[in-house]
Amino acid sequence: MIRIVILISGRGSNMASLLAAAASAELPGRIVGVLANRPDAAGLAAASACGVPSRVVDHRLFASRDQFDAALATAIDCLEPDLVVLAGFMRILGEAFVRRYEGRLLNVHPSLLPAFPGLHTHRRALAEGVRIHGCTVHFVTPDLDHGPIIVQAAVPVLDGDDEATLAARVLAQEHRVYPLAVRWFAEARLRLRDGRVVLDSPQDGAAALIVPNAA
């Protein structure tokens, strides 16, 4: 059973979906710690309520990103994880940090990458008039929001949608596909070939899961 550390900045709703999957044995891994870069992150209390150790590494206490990254890496390494999962972690991580955990650092992004990397994805999707939006789980690389894609879920953009309604529809799919991707990693079913993800024995879904009719 692999050891998993989760990084959060806020409420940690994706963290909660992973904790639930681990508790129900849907995810063959143990979440050994939750780290936040903000002391007011609501997800810290949720993690503690589930019996998962939590800790704050406050980015505001460090003079540079490199110093923060080094302190965060030290806190992570103390937990000896096999996998580090970003769940609404709102800090850009430096190249040295990303390379340290290369191949075992995952993120979920609220768009169908490579479309709409960065922030305000739902606002931008609405402004562009796209009819399909969604989320992407990917390996993290030094290129922001451009790592090898593990799984995606698509949702329709409905007439009358605003940022809030579209975000809620996408978030529901994040909660579905993130535990799935972590389970595939735990089962050693993910391989990288020429910069792309190959899923071994994809009996429970393709490596690019598209659900255009998701509500």
Side-chain angles (χ1 to χ4, degrees):
M1 183 175 291
I2 68 167
R3 297 170 61 86
I4 302 166
V5 167
I6 302 176
L7 307 186
I8 64 171
S9 291
R11 60 180 175 169
S13 70
N14 273 303
M15 174 202 72
S17 72
L18 293 167
L19 287 169
S24 66
E26 294 177 11
L27 195 166
R30 179 187 170 203
I31 298 171
V32 296
V34 171
L35 303 177
N37 68 305
R38 297 179 57 92
D40 59 350
L44 291 168
S48 296
C50 292
V52 176
S54 61
R55 178 180 171 184
V56 176
V57 183
D58 191 340
H59 67 276
R60 295 170 295 184
L61 302 181
F62 299 89
S64 70
R65 183 170 68 182
D66 287 345
Q67 290 177 359
F68 168 70
D69 284 358
L72 182 61
T74 297
I76 291 171
D77 291 348
C78 286
L79 297 167
E80 301 180 330
D82 302 293
L83 178 66
V84 180
V85 176
L86 308 182
F89 187 72
M90 302 302 291
R91 297 293 297 174
I92 295 175
L93 297 165
E95 181 171 357
F97 181 96
V98 172
R99 295 294 186 198
R100 186 187 191 101
Y101 302 104
E102 191 168 13
R104 55 192 184 104
L105 181 61
L106 302 187
N107 183 47
V108 62
H109 182 75
S111 79
L112 292 174
L113 293 174
F116 309 120
L119 300 175
H120 308 302
T121 59
H122 312 306
R123 182 187 310 170
R124 291 155 61 199
L126 290 169
E128 292 291 340
V130 301
R131 304 310 299 171
I132 297 292
H133 191 42
C135 59
T136 302
V137 181
H138 64 97
F139 284 103
V140 177
T141 66
D143 295 326
L144 181 65
D145 297 333
H146 281 86
I149 291 170
I150 298 169
V151 60
Q152 295 180 301
V155 302
V157 179
L158 304 178
D159 293 339
D161 262 337
D162 57 21
E163 282 187 71
T165 59
L166 184 55
R169 195 176 305 115
V170 171
L171 186 62
Q173 293 307 314
E174 292 179 38
H175 295 167
R176 174 186 178 187
V177 297
Y178 215 0
L180 181 62
V182 173
R183 175 160 66 85
W184 288 341
F185 183 96
E187 294 170 344
R189 292 170 56 192
L190 300 177
R191 293 182 293 111
L192 288 172
R193 180 189 298 163
D194 299 326
R196 299 182 66 177
V197 172
V198 176
L199 175 64
D200 290 334
S201 304
Q203 65 267 20
D204 54 1
L209 174 66
I210 304 298
V211 282
N213 296 317

